[in-house]
Amino acid sequence: MKNLLFIIVLAIATCFQVDAQVIKLVPDKTYGVGNDWNKIFDTYYDTLDGRPNGLRKQLIVFDDGKAIVSHATRNKYSLFDSNGKFLKDITLYFSDKGKKPRNLQPVEGKLGNLYFTKANNTGDVYLFDDKGLIVKELKIKYQALEMLALDDYHIAIYGGTSWTNKYRHLVSLLDTKTGKEKILCDAFEDMNTDLKSKGYFIYTESKRNDMKGRWQIAKVNGKLIVSNPIDGLVRTYDFNGNRISEKLLDWEPQSLSVEEQIALQNARIKDLKDELPGETDERVLRFYNNLVSYYENGIQHIKEPINMGWFTIAIRGNDDNILFFGDAEVAGQNTFHVYSVSKGQSISTGSFQCEDYDLAITKKRFVCHGGYYYGVQVLKNCEGMPLRLVRFKQE
């Protein structure tokens, strides 16, 4: 399966290659001086098998330059000042000692002077002060995948909910004062998994359908920007949910040829055959064999190139820019378009490089703010704890 994922990522990233300016990032040595990373990031290694799980940490940088790192689902939120100095770990609690917060999620932003967490699996959002006291709770009635503070009481939410045969992806605007919510845009993903009636399955079509509702949200210059990788549209809203503009991204979308799709389909078939269990349970073996047949039958239905979208990740850049990445997680291939919101067009292309750190560019581990680039990143050739909160300057 890992080989298949690598092939897909490589294929998409290759489609995205353009002549791009290489931006070299160097760590700001005045940031985070004196921090004991062995204590701050003591949960970097998994206690079960000793492997790194640092990918689960999430970073938010606030308007005043302070930062908070959430430690997966643990009740631990590390707060840093604007110079990267560790201030304290925050533990959440209720004034009622008998009440405990459930299934804690990472911090997603700040409303006024209160931090708020992402909604958990029962829709609970906790608002807490810098001492960890939970002073308010919100309830989200669907799965919230990303939440973004727009001002002191508006939150933009990308999420979704299951219908009978479909999954509804949506972007909504929540007024935390009134509790009223406004749906800004949505898309539906077919959840009909009855392969028997169809008789075949195409892997790339499934991946494309998965991306249809993967809305990306960002706050830029007092506006909410909503973009979608499949339709290539950039929608601009004010904080009351009124649409201001809608524009199509001005570069060609990524695509996979018939030959590339067939290669991916064959790779998936090989992975499925390699995964065949050694059990004698006929039902399990029948399931795997039927699945292989659906993929094999799918090859003859691959007849034309498929649009795989304009980007995979959109990260707010500095100034009024958004960075649209082809695939940021391929080492050395994090090529992106710099899109100016005010101009409504791409103005350049770039790619990040760093000699000191293994860059992991995701929306939750790489943040542009105030002319700097912040990240929870792994230091190369490091003895002891390799994970750092680092601020980069552009060389």
Side-chain angles (χ1 to χ4, degrees):
M1 188 64 178
K2 289 182 179 179
N3 291 336
L4 175 63
L5 291 175
F6 174 77
I7 293 172
I8 292 174
V9 165
L10 184 60
I12 293 176
T14 301
C15 295
F16 197 81
Q17 291 304 299
V18 292
D19 294 331
Q21 174 189 4
V22 175
I23 300 172
K24 293 186 178 180
L25 300 180
V26 294
D28 181 352
K29 295 184 179 179
T30 68
Y31 187 79
V33 176
N35 289 337
D36 187 346
W37 300 111
N38 289 293
K39 290 183 178 179
I40 297 170
F41 291 146
D42 60 341
T43 59
Y44 176 69
Y45 293 103
D46 194 294
T47 56
L48 295 177
D49 57 18
R51 292 185 298 179
N53 66 2
L55 288 172
R56 300 177 66 194
K57 301 189 184 302
Q58 295 192 15
L59 168 67
I60 292 288
V61 180
F62 303 103
D63 291 343
D64 60 3
K66 287 184 179 180
I68 198 165
V69 175
S70 303
H71 300 260
T73 56
R74 294 189 65 198
N75 192 352
K76 178 180 177 181
Y77 302 87
S78 297
L79 183 64
F80 301 82
D81 70 13
S82 58
N83 292 314
K85 179 182 178 181
F86 173 72
L87 296 176
K88 61 181 177 179
D89 283 328
I90 299 175
T91 300
L92 273 56
Y93 66 96
F94 287 99
S95 57
D96 177 0
K97 301 296 184 181
K99 189 177 181 181
K100 304 292 183 184
R102 300 176 298 172
N103 190 17
L104 285 169
Q105 299 297 308
V107 167
E108 290 281 85
K110 203 172 183 181
L111 297 174
N113 60 355
L114 296 179
Y115 305 96
F116 67 90
T117 65
K118 186 167 74 172
N120 61 19
N121 57 0
T122 55
D124 304 305
V125 178
Y126 298 115
L127 280 74
F128 62 95
D129 62 20
D130 59 5
K131 294 180 181 179
L133 174 63
I134 298 172
V135 300
K136 187 176 180 179
E137 295 177 72
L138 302 175
K139 196 77 173 181
I140 306 298
K141 297 180 181 179
Y142 50 87
Q143 183 183 20
L145 301 173
E146 184 179 1
M147 304 175 70
L148 175 67
L150 301 180
D151 53 27
D152 286 350
Y153 61 95
H154 283 110
I155 299 177
I157 305 172
Y158 157 57
T161 182
S162 295
W163 288 21
T164 303
N165 293 315
K166 295 180 181 295
Y167 187 86
R168 185 190 189 192
H169 298 268
L170 58 91
V171 175
S172 70
L173 187 67
L174 174 64
D175 185 325
T176 61
K177 284 186 176 181
T178 64
K180 292 183 178 180
E181 203 163 0
K182 182 177 182 179
I183 305 299
L184 304 183
C185 47
D186 62 0
F188 291 89
E189 177 187 348
D190 189 359
M191 297 293 288
N192 184 2
T193 56
D194 184 12
L195 298 180
K196 188 175 182 180
S197 60
K198 189 176 180 182
Y200 69 92
F201 187 80
I202 300 177
Y203 188 76
T204 48
E205 282 188 357
S206 174
K207 297 299 291 184
R208 183 184 186 279
N209 289 337
D210 287 346
M211 292 175 64
K212 279 184 179 178
R214 300 297 172 88
W215 305 95
Q216 306 275 314
I217 55 178
K219 181 175 74 170
V220 178
N221 287 349
K223 300 180 181 67
L224 170 63
I225 312 301
V226 179
S227 54
N228 184 279
I230 291 298
D231 64 24
L233 292 174
V234 177
R235 300 167 173 89
T236 304
Y237 298 86
D238 64 24
F239 291 170
N240 291 313
N242 300 308
R243 185 183 293 185
I244 299 171
S245 65
E246 178 177 290
K247 292 198 174 184
L248 182 68
L249 291 172
D250 55 355
W251 60 86
E252 291 299 314
Q254 306 158 14
S255 64
L256 291 177
S257 67
V258 170
E259 293 75 19
E260 288 169 328
Q261 292 178 69
I262 291 175
L264 293 173
Q265 192 85 350
N266 283 324
R268 179 57 178 149
I269 292 169
K270 181 180 182 303
D271 279 350
L272 283 172
K273 289 181 177 179
D274 291 343
E275 291 171 7
L276 277 171
E279 303 176 23
T280 56
D281 191 316
E282 290 186 8
R283 291 172 299 177
V284 175
L285 293 175
R286 190 184 308 119
F287 170 80
Y288 270 88
N289 286 325
N290 287 340
L291 200 55
V292 168
S293 296
Y294 293 137
Y295 276 96
E296 289 176 338
N297 293 340
I299 292 178
Q300 61 183 319
H301 294 274
I302 302 175
K303 298 180 179 180
E304 58 185 24
I306 187 170
N307 168 18
M308 293 298 290
W310 274 256
F311 63 92
T312 58
I313 301 175
I315 296 177
R316 175 189 171 182
N318 288 303
D319 300 321
D320 81 329
N321 300 325
I322 295 179
L323 310 182
F324 287 100
F325 289 86
D327 200 301
E329 299 196 38
V330 180
Q333 294 181 349
N334 56 52
T335 307
F336 55 85
H337 285 273
V338 181
Y339 180 88
S340 169
V341 173
S342 60
K343 295 179 180 178
Q345 64 183 45
S346 57
I347 55 176
S348 65
T349 56
S351 178
F352 292 118
Q353 287 187 6
C354 183
E355 295 181 359
D356 304 280
Y357 286 82
D358 290 321
L359 290 179
I361 300 177
T362 70
K363 293 192 74 171
K364 296 304 181 183
R365 292 186 64 193
F366 190 83
V367 176
C368 305
H369 177 77
Y372 293 99
Y373 303 92
Y374 296 78
V376 177
Q377 305 291 323
V378 173
L379 180 64
K380 296 178 181 177
N381 304 318
C382 173
E383 294 183 6
M385 172 56 62
L387 202 63
R388 301 282 190 277
L389 170 62
V390 59
R391 182 169 70 186
F392 295 106
K393 298 183 293 186
Q394 185 173 327
E395 189 176 64

